Amino acid sequence: MFAVEKYKGPKEEQFNLVVKQLTALIEDEDNMIANLSNASALLNQFLERINWVGFYLWDEEKNELVLGPFQGLPACVRIPFGKGVCGMAAEKRETLVVPDVNQFPGHIACDANSQSEIVIPMIKNDQLIGVLDIDSPEANRFDEIDKKKLEEFVAALVNHL
């Protein structure tokens, strides 16, 4: 049984601990779906003030992202490449931090309670795997520390996939 450790220190140190916990969770497992499932559950326990966290996986044949493992309310199943925050992050291959989703042109509202969002692309060997998507019911939830440390989290995860 794996226990998620809570630590109430500086935000950067909290993220460093969660990356270590991720590594412990996935180091002996090679199934991508199992690892993405545990990664989303870990982030759901670790991150405060969020209402959805999960993965969309790249379907190259259909040129779209398809819902993968997640924690939260039921979500949009398919997102066209370049559409919404997830599709744009996948197309640009860069992290997008959206302080107010209502101001993002073409935002896809899967949950009307979501007010801000961060999406981190998952890329390995120059190939898009998918994106990590995290929503919050409060505006301006995600800052530069979240961006940097969630990119490190995704890098640790992708290195094992």
Side-chain angles (χ1 to χ4, degrees):
M1 187 86 175
F2 186 85
V4 176
E5 294 180 43
K6 290 281 189 174
Y7 173 73
K8 293 294 180 191
K11 192 174 190 177
E12 293 90 342
E13 290 180 21
Q14 291 179 43
F15 269 110
N16 292 342
L17 178 61
V18 85
V19 170
K20 286 180 183 176
Q21 291 175 333
L22 172 71
T23 302
L25 271 172
I26 67 176
E27 67 185 346
D28 293 328
E29 181 54 60
D30 62 1
N31 183 278
M32 183 172 81
I33 299 300
N35 288 333
L36 294 176
S37 296
N38 272 333
S40 63
L42 180 62
L43 285 175
N44 191 53
Q45 289 298 309
F46 168 71
L47 294 171
E48 297 175 343
R49 304 176 340 268
I50 65 165
N51 58 327
W52 200 92
V53 56
F55 297 92
Y56 281 92
L57 303 175
W58 176 236
D59 183 336
E60 187 173 4
E61 287 181 23
K62 294 187 177 180
N63 201 37
E64 63 188 6
L65 295 164
V66 180
L67 182 63
F70 71 94
Q71 300 278 311
L73 293 176
C76 304
V77 176
R78 297 181 183 277
I79 298 175
F81 194 60
K83 304 294 182 190
V85 182
C86 289
M88 288 294 291
E91 181 179 63
K92 291 182 174 193
R93 292 181 173 221
E94 65 184 44
T95 299
L96 293 181
V97 178
V98 181
D100 181 353
V101 296
N102 299 306
Q103 301 302 313
F104 188 88
H107 175 253
I108 300 169
C110 295
D111 181 346
N113 291 320
S114 294
Q115 297 299 309
S116 62
E117 185 171 5
I118 185 169
V119 178
I120 302 97
M122 300 167 40
I123 299 167
K124 185 171 185 175
N125 300 326
D126 204 37
Q127 297 294 313
L128 179 67
I129 297 169
V131 298
L132 168 61
D133 179 23
I134 306 172
D135 295 355
S136 173
E138 67 182 52
N140 297 303
R141 161 61 181 86
F142 305 102
D143 61 20
E144 281 301 311
I145 295 170
D146 293 306
K147 178 182 182 289
K148 178 183 177 207
K149 292 301 186 175
L150 287 167
E151 287 173 342
E152 290 175 15
F153 182 92
V154 166
L157 179 60
V158 166
N159 284 338
H160 188 75
L161 297 178

